[in-house]
């Protein structure tokens, strides 16, 4: 019989824990962070109404606005807020010790936080993108659905990448913005090879398959390559974040 002071053994692996999820939802949807999450979606829908009133139904304008603003700007920024906010603040203020002291596998903590981050990113990016698309052109040529699905796909990749950054660095938000706004937006527009390592391009590859021909939804990455890279980044990022959390446990115990 183990001594009374022994730490409880982690339970059988489960990829989702309701308590961790509840704490993460509460942290991400607190008043300050919720306001940040709402700004860009409201701006997108507002711009969509304004553009529709000025130009009428125009597939080209719809694709340009949804691609340039929604997918290229709004989704990665919301991903940064949700992905890094799911764990970064807990590590910074030391409250992560509360979770690490529980009989939970570190992979369960990371998987749960990833699910919540994906859910928040999808809710605040894919849903507004779909609404804006219907406002702009009534989903002509499946443009609204294509970009909404692309935003949902991108939410998975961004959440995994930024959750990993939140686990390994205290400057995760800065690194996330560098990746989203400099690597994807700047280098991606200047260097064709950089687009292969772009979550945005992987998402566009899925959206391109859904949209009608000539709808203006195009990716520089093939669909198979995009799916393989997305899965690899999501699984790899989750595994690395779990490994880092185990390291934090060792440091705390020492």
């Amino acid at each position: 019989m183990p001594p009374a002071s022994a730490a409880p053994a982690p339970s059988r692996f489960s990829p989702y824990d309701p308590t961790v999820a509840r704490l993460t939802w509460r942290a991400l949807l607190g008043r300050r962070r919720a306001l940040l999450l709402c700004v860009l979606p409201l701006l997108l829908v507002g711009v969509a109404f304004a553009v529709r009133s000025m130009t009428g139904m125009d597939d080209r304008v719809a694709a340009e606005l949804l691609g340039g603003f929604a997918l290229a700007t709004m989704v990665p920024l919301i991903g940064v807020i949700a992905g890094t906010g799911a764990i970064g603040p807990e590590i910074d203020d030391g409250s992560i010790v509360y979770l690490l002291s529980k009989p939970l596998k570190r992979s369960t903590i990371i998987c749960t936080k990833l699910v919540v981050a994906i859910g928040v990113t999808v809710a605040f990016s894919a849903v507004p993108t779909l609404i804006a698309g219907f406002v702009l052109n009534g989903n002509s040529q499946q443009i609204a659905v294509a970009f909404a699905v692309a935003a949902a796909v991108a939410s998975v990749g961004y959440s995994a990448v930024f959750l990993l950054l939140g686990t390994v660095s205290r400057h995760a938000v800065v690194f996330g913005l560098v990746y989203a706004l400099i690597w994807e937006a700047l280098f991606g527009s200047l260097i064709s090879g950089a687009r292969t390592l772009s979550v945005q391009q992987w998402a566009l590859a899925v959206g391109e398959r859904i949209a009608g021909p000539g709808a203006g939804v195009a990716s520089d990455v093939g669909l198979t390559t995009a799916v393989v890279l997305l899965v690899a980044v999501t699984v790899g990022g989750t595994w690395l974040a779990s490994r880092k959390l185990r390291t934090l446990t060792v440091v705390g115990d020492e």
Side-chain angles (χ1 to χ4, degrees):
M1 184 175 181
S5 59
S11 58
R12 182 175 61 85
F13 172 71
S14 172
Y16 186 84
D17 182 81
T19 301
V20 176
R22 184 173 63 254
L23 293 173
T24 307
W25 281 109
R26 187 181 302 168
L28 286 179
L29 299 180
R31 181 177 302 176
R32 181 179 177 183
R33 191 167 278 112
L35 288 175
L36 290 174
L37 289 169
C38 288
V39 169
L40 287 175
L42 291 175
L43 180 59
L44 171 65
V45 175
V47 170
F49 274 108
V51 170
R52 172 64 184 270
S53 66
M54 291 185 294
T55 65
M57 291 182 59
D58 189 317
D59 293 349
R60 181 184 60 82
V61 172
E64 289 178 354
L65 179 60
L66 295 178
F69 182 21
L71 194 60
T73 303
M74 182 183 72
V75 181
L77 289 180
I78 291 177
V80 169
I81 297 172
T84 61
I87 196 169
E90 290 178 290
I91 293 177
D92 291 342
D93 63 21
S95 60
I96 190 68
V97 173
Y98 168 78
L99 290 179
L100 299 182
S101 66
K102 301 299 178 182
L104 290 171
K105 286 187 175 293
R106 305 309 175 238
S107 52
T108 296
I109 296 174
I110 291 297
C111 288
T112 301
K113 288 182 173 294
L114 177 61
V115 168
V116 174
I118 291 172
V120 170
T121 309
V122 169
F124 285 90
S125 61
V127 174
T129 298
L130 182 65
I131 295 171
F134 272 97
V135 169
L136 287 166
N137 75 339
N139 197 36
S140 173
Q141 297 197 74
Q142 294 290 309
I143 289 176
V145 172
F147 276 106
V149 171
V153 169
S155 297
V156 176
Y158 286 130
S159 295
V161 170
F162 298 142
L163 180 65
L164 173 61
L165 287 177
T167 306
V168 303
S169 174
R170 291 181 177 271
H171 306 290
V173 173
V174 175
F175 290 130
L177 292 175
V178 167
Y179 172 78
L181 301 180
I182 296 182
W183 176 265
E184 289 201 339
L186 180 59
F187 290 170
S189 63
L190 299 176
I191 305 172
S192 58
R195 297 173 195 144
T196 304
L197 300 178
S198 167
V199 175
Q200 177 188 338
Q201 292 297 321
W202 305 342
L204 277 172
V206 178
E208 183 179 7
R209 178 59 62 92
I210 297 172
V217 186
S219 172
D220 293 324
V221 181
L223 180 60
T224 301
T225 301
V227 171
V228 170
L229 290 174
L230 179 68
V231 171
V233 165
T234 303
V235 174
T238 304
W239 181 80
L240 288 172
S242 300
R243 295 280 296 180
K244 177 60 178 178
L245 214 56
R246 293 191 187 99
T247 303
L248 290 176
T249 302
V250 172
V251 172
D253 291 341
E254 293 177 349

